[in-house]
Amino acid sequence: MPTNFTVVPVEQQEDAGESETAGRHESAASGQTGYRSEDSLWGDGNPRENSPFIHNEMDKDNLYDGKNMALFEEEMDSNPMVSSLLNKLANYTNLTQGVKEHEEYEDRKRKEMKETRMGTFIGVYLPCLQNILGVILFLRLTWIVGSAGVLESFCIVLMCCLCTMLTAISMSAIATNGVVPAGGSYYMISRSLGPEFGGAVGLCFYLGTTFAGAMYILGTIEILLTYISPYAAIFPIEQEDPQAMLNNMRVYGTCIIALMAVVVFVGVKYVNKLALVFLACVILSIMAIYAGVIKSAFDPPDFPICLLGNRVLAKRSLDICAKYISNNTINEALWNKFCITTNYSTTCDPYFIANNLTEIQGIPGVASGVLLDNLWSGYSKKGSIVERNQTSSSAGEGQKAYSQNYILTDIMTYFTMLVGIYFPSVTGIMAGSNRSGDLKDAQKSIPFGTILAIATTSFIYLSCVVLFGACIEGALLRDKFGEAVSGQLVIGTLAWPSPWVIVIGSFFSTCGAGLQSLTGAPRLLQAIARDGIVPFLQVFGHGKANGEPTWALLLTAGICEIGILIASLDSVAPILSMFFLMCYMFVNLACALQTLLRTPNWRPRFKYYHWTLSFVGMSLCLALMFICSWYYALVAMLIAGCIYKYIEYRGAEKEWGDGIRGLSLNAARYALLRVEHGATHTKNWRPQILVLVNLDSEQNVKHPRLLSLTTQLKAGKGLTIVGSVLQGTFLDKHVEAQKGEENVKALMTAEKTKGFCQLVVSPSVRDGMSHLIQAAGLGGMKHNTVLMAWPNSWKQPNNPYSWKPFVDTVRDATTAQQALLVAKNIDSFPTNQERFAEGNVDVWWIVHDGGMLMLLPFLLRQHKVWRKCRMRIFTVAQMDDNSIQMKKDLQMFLYHLRLDAEVEVVEMFENDISAFTYEKTLMMEQRSQMLKQMQLSKNEREREAQIIHDRNTASHSAVIAKSSNAAPERVQMTWTKEKLIAEKHKVKDLNVTGYRDIFNMKPNQSNVRRMHTAVKLNEVVLNRSQHAQLVLLNMPGPPKNKQGDENYMEFLEVLTEGLNRVLLVRGGGREVITIYS
């Protein structure tokens, strides 16, 4: 090993040329020799792996020369060294969320190495604050406190904050259970709950983020047109025409969406840089609120509101709050508002005449004791007049002409509706997890930063509820748009030093939040599209050269426009509440599921979680969904359900090690253990089919129609196992086995056969079939029926014993007490796309088999292929049977079984055995005897050759043992030329004698009777069912003596000769159909 070498850090590779040269010359001068290569110029001279990942493609011929781990060379061909693996994993970095503008790959990597990672405060805490605090705080919280009262508002805020806190705890556990790459919350949910749930919830989260952008834009327009520049309205804003404001919202909202989309398209990095400016506006606004509260304790601001009796007046053009000015001069402007003068008379508002005007302070201050007046709710109907002391009254018919002078409620208020409007103000808790790639230590920063941000914002919201109720008059709190204080922002009247601090700050914060939504939502959609789980969304995975999601941005802007067209912030807020609540619900579900399943990979660094907290959080999210709006909740769940089913039906199959799969495995284990106990009741019996298929030389299924028949028979219900056998050893045939399994699964998918594939490699096909019949399935989910194709080539002269595996399989199925279905002429069976417009399915019931012959046609007719076929049942009557009574009994039996079928009794009397039957039996036995003689001669030759081989082997071993002590001796062979000639004559004589006996033999009387039955029954079946679409027939059992197996095949061939489609049925020894309920 070289003693002189130069260590060069990775960062200095570009400047290390001279050092490398010096190191090589120095080593050469010292006379040291060692391993060197062009790829290894640093370290100890041994080459290292390029990648820590398994199955790395590289030159492996000289890779491990000189290693001191030669014992593990075979493993190191496919697995990495631990040293390199740990180095790569320890320095693993995520994809960052920032935008890289058209940089070369190496420059980008170098920049990523040098850039500073963010800590908890900058990377998680502040982004969460910015996303949580927003438009609802500035525009609706005072109105919520005024409508619901301090106590109920406190409950609303506490319930929503508790929901997000529990969700943050669950999210922290998931986020610290390994590295979270790009995708943030979507990645966490999808990898924890699987592609179906992940895609559904991910799209709901995307829709929620998109509608949040619409809500922020609507808030921006409301601030602009109501509090900053009311004269900028395109449509004049009048109290009598609320649609004017909505139309202004739609026009301005469309323009702002277009402008923001252009900004996001041109440069997202500028949006990210402005994020701190927008956050500063939010923080300054909140500080101004607290400063105003403190100031109100000793110097309340002067914002008087005018009351007519108990009603609050709109102070648009009202300068003096009095009916009379000094010296008993009437306030003409006021009287003109409440009195209508015609040519002959003047009519005034009766309430105006009956009540006096008073002026009170809208901000009495925190020490005024107004908190006690604001504790209780003051809900009202739409169009009600806002009054003092939590009361409201509807304008009467005579007062509607003067209603524009009062402050009216624009919507009906109640507790659940306020929950839906408020909840968006606590969303945004996942801003930190979405930036996991930019953090120094994501597993430490995400939990601490997120929970701290939620605690901070919860304190701000709860304290604001109490302080608003303690500082602001209740009538002003219920004034949503500040009409009682000359159209000023209500929360701005409390702020110090000026209301404009809140107005400007809230305007920029809502603008920034809208930009952030239009920036984040397209990236979330792009992450979902690139996962490939929703096929029609794949186009949105593409973007500009620098990765910007252009198409996703266009779709986001289009969906956001839908929210703008709704034009009401109070109507949009509950919609996005549904989507966010659904997302949070599944985050809690994911954490609870992973904790309860105790999967080995569930090892979060965040330890302060429990499945009960996650379950409570999930239940609270679900409850809040229905509290906010039960019909919105149902619609959101319906959308998520449709997406789930679509992904399940059309989406790409993904294996992410998700919790739902683990839950399925646990449920399957539980169900299997339950099914294991006790036998299946007859009412629950259905054919659980093991389909035995043969593969050709290309490992394709020889008879695909077997799977078509299985699908038609099963209709997707019960267990289906498609099994096949490859002859050979597993070490030699594992590649072919894998290919064959893939081909079988592909065919199962094409034929819509729902089940499992099990391919066995065995030294013999017969043993493999036996293993499948014995061992296929698991526990109580084992097959009870074997389906196979009739071996059409059983009479092939080149392979005269090809029928033996078939007969042995019949015996194995009978021994295992399993039903057996043998489809003859399987290639003529219909495909799943064919439809029989008419025809019969004929059942020939000769021997009672437990009811299999009755049940199978019923199951087939459930499928579209056989639905229009009629079922006919034939039974055979003997000489002593009463055929009329048999027919009545059979009809009654079918009536009790609830089966519709035509019944016919066929009389088959005994008669003399025909010459044809005798001759056919004789030919069958002669053929069988000839095969036995041929096999006997072959066996004798093989036995003698084996004896000679064994003796030679023993002699050779003895010679080797004596070679060291004695000279080699000549070995006397036992097989001499004379013995060979004698053996040939002996075999020839035996063959001649055997063949002479064959032609002089007489057929066995038992075989003659069997052949007679087969011939006569075939004649009867052909006469009645030759044109039937399918014939089901009892399958005779194989003979107990294996010497007659070849005759058994001949009997079955004769029995089914001339029939197009035949399904031979053999029962499993138990009843499978019952007349009882």
Side-chain angles (χ1 to χ4, degrees):
M1 186 172 178
T3 57
N4 296 320
F5 55 88
T6 304
V7 178
V8 180
V10 177
E11 292 82 355
Q12 300 178 6
Q13 289 183 9
E14 296 179 352
D15 303 325
E18 296 179 2
S19 298
E20 297 161 11
T21 307
R24 289 196 298 269
H25 286 309
E26 190 174 357
S27 177
S30 62
Q32 298 294 331
T33 60
Y35 183 89
R36 290 286 179 182
S37 71
E38 294 297 327
D39 297 326
S40 179
L41 300 177
W42 306 283
D44 60 356
N46 291 330
R48 302 298 186 195
E49 293 85 345
N50 292 331
S51 171
F53 303 107
I54 297 176
H55 303 302
N56 182 34
E57 295 296 330
M58 60 177 74
D59 184 11
K60 298 178 181 177
D61 295 336
N62 59 353
L63 182 60
Y64 301 104
D65 295 343
K67 290 270 186 184
N68 57 358
M69 291 290 176
L71 180 62
F72 297 94
E73 284 183 1
E74 295 295 334
E75 285 78 6
M76 287 189 290
D77 283 342
S78 58
N79 300 327
M81 286 287 290
V82 173
S83 58
S84 63
L85 178 68
L86 292 178
N87 182 42
K88 295 291 179 69
L89 291 180
N91 295 310
Y92 176 80
T93 57
N94 289 329
L95 296 175
T96 59
Q97 303 294 322
V99 180
K100 309 298 180 184
E101 295 280 345
H102 303 290
E103 295 179 340
E104 295 295 329
Y105 177 76
E106 292 297 332
D107 294 336
R108 182 168 68 249
K109 299 297 286 185
R110 193 178 302 113
K111 181 178 179 180
E112 289 174 357
M113 291 174 62
K114 293 180 180 179
E115 67 182 359
T116 304
R117 297 280 179 175
M118 292 182 291
T120 303
F121 186 74
I122 299 295
V124 180
Y125 181 71
L126 291 182
C128 285
L129 278 185
Q130 180 189 359
N131 281 267
I132 296 174
L133 300 172
V135 61
I136 301 295
L137 171 63
F138 300 119
L139 296 184
R140 292 292 183 270
L141 189 57
T142 54
W143 173 69
I144 291 174
V145 174
S147 299
V150 173
L151 293 180
E152 292 187 26
S153 299
F154 195 89
C155 291
I156 292 173
V157 174
L158 182 63
M159 188 164 50
C160 295
C161 291
L162 182 61
C163 175
T164 55
M165 180 61 78
L166 293 175
T167 303
I169 293 173
S170 300
M171 184 195 70
S172 299
I174 298 174
T176 57
N177 187 51
V179 180
V180 180
S185 55
Y186 161 70
Y187 182 91
M188 289 189 296
I189 297 171
S190 61
R191 269 56 178 182
S192 297
L193 294 179
E196 293 87 359
F197 274 111
V201 180
L203 284 175
C204 287
F205 189 50
Y206 162 75
L207 292 174
T209 307
T210 305
F211 274 100
M215 183 188 71
Y216 293 133
I217 293 172
L218 290 174
T220 303
I221 303 168
E222 183 176 314
I223 295 171
L224 175 66
L225 296 183
T226 306
Y227 307 113
I228 297 179
S229 179
Y231 301 104
I234 299 175
F235 302 95
I237 301 175
E238 297 180 1
Q239 192 171 11
E240 297 85 355
D241 186 16
Q243 287 296 323
M245 185 62 181
L246 300 182
N247 292 331
N248 286 319
M249 290 279 196
R250 295 182 180 107
V251 174
Y252 274 96
T254 304
C255 297
I256 291 178
I257 280 182
L259 180 62
M260 287 185 173
V262 171
V263 172
V264 172
F265 178 79
V266 171
V268 181
K269 59 182 179 180
Y270 302 111
V271 177
N272 294 333
K273 288 179 180 179
L274 289 173
L276 289 178
V277 177
F278 298 141
L279 177 61
C281 294
V282 175
I283 295 175
L284 287 175
S285 299
I286 294 174
M287 291 176 64
I289 294 171
Y290 283 109
V293 170
I294 296 172
K295 180 178 178 295
S296 71
F298 53 87
D299 185 16
D302 183 24
F303 284 99
I305 58 176
C306 188
L307 299 178
L308 176 62
N310 204 33
R311 298 179 179 179
V312 183
L313 296 182
K315 207 172 185 180
R316 294 188 188 90
S317 58
L318 187 63
D319 298 328
I320 301 174
C321 183
K323 291 184 179 181
Y324 299 94
I325 312 177
S326 60
N327 300 324
N328 294 327
T329 304
I330 65 170
N331 187 349
E332 187 175 349
L334 179 65
W335 283 84
N336 289 337
K337 288 178 178 293
F338 289 93
C339 296
I340 301 175
T341 302
T342 60
N343 294 331
Y344 303 102
S345 64
T346 299
T347 305
C348 294
D349 181 5
Y351 190 85
F352 174 75
I353 300 297
N355 294 276
N356 294 322
L357 272 74
T358 56
E359 193 172 58
I360 62 173
Q361 283 296 327
I363 313 292
V366 71
S368 63
V370 74
L371 176 63
L372 296 176
D373 298 331
N374 293 330
L375 285 179
W376 313 110
S377 62
Y379 300 122
S380 59
K381 297 180 179 179
K382 182 179 180 181
S384 299
I385 300 174
V386 175
E387 298 185 355
R388 195 181 181 189
N389 300 327
Q390 286 81 28
T391 59
S392 60
S393 61
S394 300
E397 291 297 329
Q399 295 179 338
K400 287 186 177 180
Y402 314 103
S403 60
Q404 73 273 11
N405 301 314
Y406 303 108
I407 298 175
L408 305 178
T409 56
D410 60 338
I411 58 174
M412 182 178 180
T413 56
Y414 45 92
F415 180 82
T416 57
M417 186 270 291
L418 296 180
V419 174
I421 292 177
Y422 173 75
F423 187 81
S425 65
V426 297
T427 59
I429 63 175
M430 295 187 177
S433 64
N434 291 339
R435 295 168 178 253
S436 58
D438 297 326
L439 302 174
K440 290 180 182 177
D441 187 356
Q443 297 191 3
K444 177 183 177 183
S445 298
I446 290 177
F448 184 71
T450 304
I451 293 175
L452 184 60
I454 294 175
T456 303
T457 54
S458 299
F459 171 78
I460 292 173
Y461 282 129
L462 292 171
S463 63
C464 283
V465 168
V466 176
L467 293 176
F468 290 164
C471 295
I472 305 176
E473 176 63 40
L476 182 58
L477 286 173
R478 289 187 291 279
D479 182 7
K480 182 188 291 187
F481 302 108
E483 295 175 272
V485 286
S486 302
Q488 297 191 64
L489 184 61
V490 174
I491 196 174
T493 60
L494 179 63
W496 181 85
S498 170
W500 285 101
V501 176
I502 297 291
V503 174
I504 301 300
S506 60
F507 177 78
F508 282 110
S509 69
T510 50
C511 282
L515 280 172
Q516 291 288 344
S517 297
L518 285 181
T519 303
R523 279 159 180 72
L524 178 60
L525 180 62
Q526 187 181 46
I528 298 172
R530 286 181 173 176
D531 265 344
I533 58 176
V534 184
F536 70 84
L537 289 180
Q538 290 184 2
V539 65
F540 299 106
H542 307 292
K544 295 194 295 186
N546 60 349
E548 285 301 309
T550 307
W551 295 109
L553 176 61
L554 292 176
L555 179 64
T556 302
I559 297 175
C560 197
E561 176 65 18
I562 296 176
I564 295 298
L565 294 178
I566 296 175
S568 173
L569 188 148
D570 300 325
S571 300
V572 173
I575 296 176
L576 65 99
S577 295
M578 292 300 111
F579 293 124
F580 277 119
L581 280 168
M582 183 170 293
C583 178
Y584 295 164
M585 180 178 69
F586 280 100
V587 169
N588 286 293
L589 173 62
C591 181
L593 198 62
Q594 297 279 25
T595 307
L596 290 174
L597 290 177
R598 298 178 182 177
T599 52
N601 191 53
W602 180 247
R603 302 183 301 275
R605 288 190 177 276
F606 181 77
K607 301 300 182 183
Y608 305 102
Y609 71 94
H610 195 267
W611 69 267
T612 54
L613 294 177
S614 301
F615 183 77
V616 171
M618 180 184 68
S619 303
L620 187 56
C621 289
L622 184 62
L624 283 175
M625 287 179 65
F626 284 92
I627 287 174
C628 295
S629 174
W630 64 268
Y631 46 90
Y632 276 173
L634 292 178
V635 170
M637 296 176 77
L638 179 63
I639 293 173
C642 292
I643 297 172
Y644 177 93
K645 295 305 293 184
Y646 177 80
I647 296 174
E648 185 181 51
Y649 179 68
R650 292 292 304 275
E653 294 183 1
K654 301 285 184 182
E655 175 51 57
W656 288 334
D658 50 88
I660 293 297
R661 184 171 177 81
L663 180 63
S664 301
L665 292 174
N666 271 14
R669 179 184 65 85
Y670 175 79
L672 285 173
L673 292 175
R674 288 289 303 272
V675 173
E676 181 74 13
H677 301 291
T680 305
H681 194 275
T682 303
K683 290 186 289 186
N684 295 327
W685 194 96
R686 64 169 60 248
Q688 318 283 13
I689 299 180
L690 169 65
V691 187
L692 298 177
V693 297
N694 295 323
L695 305 180
D696 56 20
S697 57
E698 298 296 327
Q699 313 308 326
N700 293 319
V701 178
K702 287 184 179 180
H703 303 294
R705 300 291 177 88
L706 264 179
L707 296 185
S708 301
L709 177 61
T710 305
T711 303
Q712 297 158 21
L713 189 62
K714 299 288 291 179
K717 305 296 189 300
L719 175 70
T720 301
I721 302 174
V722 181
S724 186
V725 179
L726 279 182
Q727 189 169 2
T729 61
F730 185 69
L731 290 177
D732 298 331
K733 295 285 188 177
H734 69 279
V735 176
E736 290 87 342
Q738 185 177 5
K739 180 182 178 183
E741 188 170 348
E742 292 174 355
N743 292 342
V744 171
K745 288 182 178 179
L747 182 61
M748 291 174 67
T749 302
E751 296 292 342
K752 298 181 180 179
T753 304
K754 297 180 180 180
F756 309 97
C757 173
Q758 190 165 351
L759 198 144
V760 174
V761 181
S762 177
S764 68
V765 175
R766 186 259 178 276
D767 291 341
M769 294 288 188
S770 179
H771 294 159
L772 283 174
I773 291 176
Q774 295 177 62
L778 180 64
M781 287 296 289
K782 292 182 67 70
H783 60 279
N784 54 30
T785 306
V786 178
L787 172 63
M788 58 192 305
W790 173 262
N792 293 321
S793 59
W794 71 276
K795 282 188 176 182
Q796 280 186 351
N798 57 350
N799 189 10
Y801 290 93
S802 60
W803 46 265
K804 285 189 69 65
F806 173 81
V807 179
D808 290 336
T809 302
V810 174
R811 282 199 174 92
D812 289 341
T814 304
T815 304
Q817 294 185 335
Q818 295 174 3
L820 179 66
L821 308 178
V822 178
K824 190 176 181 187
N825 303 326
I826 183 61
D827 293 329
S828 65
F829 275 65
T831 63
N832 293 327
Q833 288 72 37
E834 296 182 36
R835 302 287 184 270
F836 288 134
E838 58 182 359
N840 300 317
V841 176
D842 288 353
V843 177
W844 285 85
W845 192 22
I846 301 169
V847 180
H848 180 58
D849 56 355
M852 279 288 290
L853 282 170
M854 308 291 181
L855 185 61
L856 292 178
F858 170 77
L859 295 176
L860 282 174
R861 292 179 63 207
Q862 306 302 309
H863 197 272
K864 295 178 181 179
V865 174
W866 306 92
R867 185 163 296 165
K868 295 184 178 180
C869 293
R870 294 177 301 159
M871 179 178 171
R872 299 193 302 180
I873 297 181
F874 299 89
T875 188
V876 178
Q878 301 295 324
M879 283 289 294
D880 300 332
D881 296 329
N882 185 343
S883 58
I884 298 176
Q885 187 61 38
M886 283 180 63
K887 184 173 183 179
K888 291 181 179 180
D889 293 341
L890 183 55
Q891 288 174 338
M892 181 59 64
F893 180 59
L894 292 177
Y895 174 79
H896 287 308
L897 289 177
R898 289 91 65 200
L899 296 177
D900 296 326
E902 297 180 14
V903 176
E904 188 170 345
V905 178
V906 179
E907 296 179 347
M908 194 172 77
F909 302 118
E910 293 184 6
N911 51 16
D912 295 335
I913 298 174
S914 64
F916 171 77
T917 302
Y918 191 88
E919 185 68 24
K920 198 167 186 64
T921 307
L922 181 61
M923 292 175 59
M924 176 187 71
E925 293 192 353
Q926 287 175 349
R927 178 179 181 275
S928 174
Q929 194 65 26
M930 290 178 66
L931 290 174
K932 288 180 180 178
Q933 293 292 343
M934 293 171 60
Q935 184 68 17
L936 181 63
S937 301
K938 179 181 178 182
N939 290 341
E940 288 184 350
R941 290 196 299 271
E942 290 178 352
R943 190 181 304 113
E944 184 65 25
Q946 183 65 35
I947 293 173
I948 296 170
H949 173 73
D950 293 343
R951 290 179 180 176
N952 287 341
T953 303
S955 300
H956 183 62
S957 301
V959 168
I960 293 176
K962 297 178 181 179
S963 60
S964 58
N965 300 323
E969 298 179 0
R970 183 168 182 156
V971 179
Q972 178 66 36
M973 304 294 292
T974 59
W975 189 260
T976 61
K977 183 176 181 181
E978 293 78 9
K979 187 171 181 179
L980 176 62
I981 295 174
E983 187 66 25
K984 285 183 177 181
H985 284 291
K986 177 182 175 182
V987 172
K988 184 176 180 181
D989 293 340
L990 286 173
N991 288 340
V992 171
T993 304
Y995 292 141
R996 188 182 302 116
D997 292 340
I998 288 173
F999 290 110
N1000 293 331
M1001 68 182 294
K1002 293 184 178 180
N1004 185 284
Q1005 291 302 314
S1006 175
N1007 288 338
V1008 172
R1009 291 196 303 271
R1010 292 172 184 268
M1011 183 63 74
H1012 174 70
T1013 302
V1015 170
K1016 296 302 295 181
L1017 190 56
N1018 177 257
E1019 291 178 0
V1020 174
V1021 173
L1022 276 179
N1023 184 36
R1024 304 297 179 94
S1025 303
Q1026 186 172 10
H1027 301 292
Q1029 302 291 2
L1030 178 64
V1031 176
L1032 289 89
L1033 188 65
N1034 280 118
M1035 180 179 181
K1040 296 181 179 179
N1041 184 5
K1042 293 188 178 182
Q1043 300 298 325
D1045 285 354
E1046 63 275 11
N1047 299 337
Y1048 173 68
M1049 296 296 293
E1050 189 70 41
F1051 294 146
L1052 295 181
E1053 189 71 60
V1054 172
L1055 179 62
T1056 57
E1057 189 174 3
L1059 297 174
N1060 185 21
R1061 302 184 191 93
V1062 182
L1063 190 62
L1064 296 172
V1065 180
R1066 183 165 174 77
R1070 61 161 295 168
E1071 294 292 330
V1072 300
I1073 194 168
T1074 178
I1075 64 175
Y1076 300 105
S1077 60

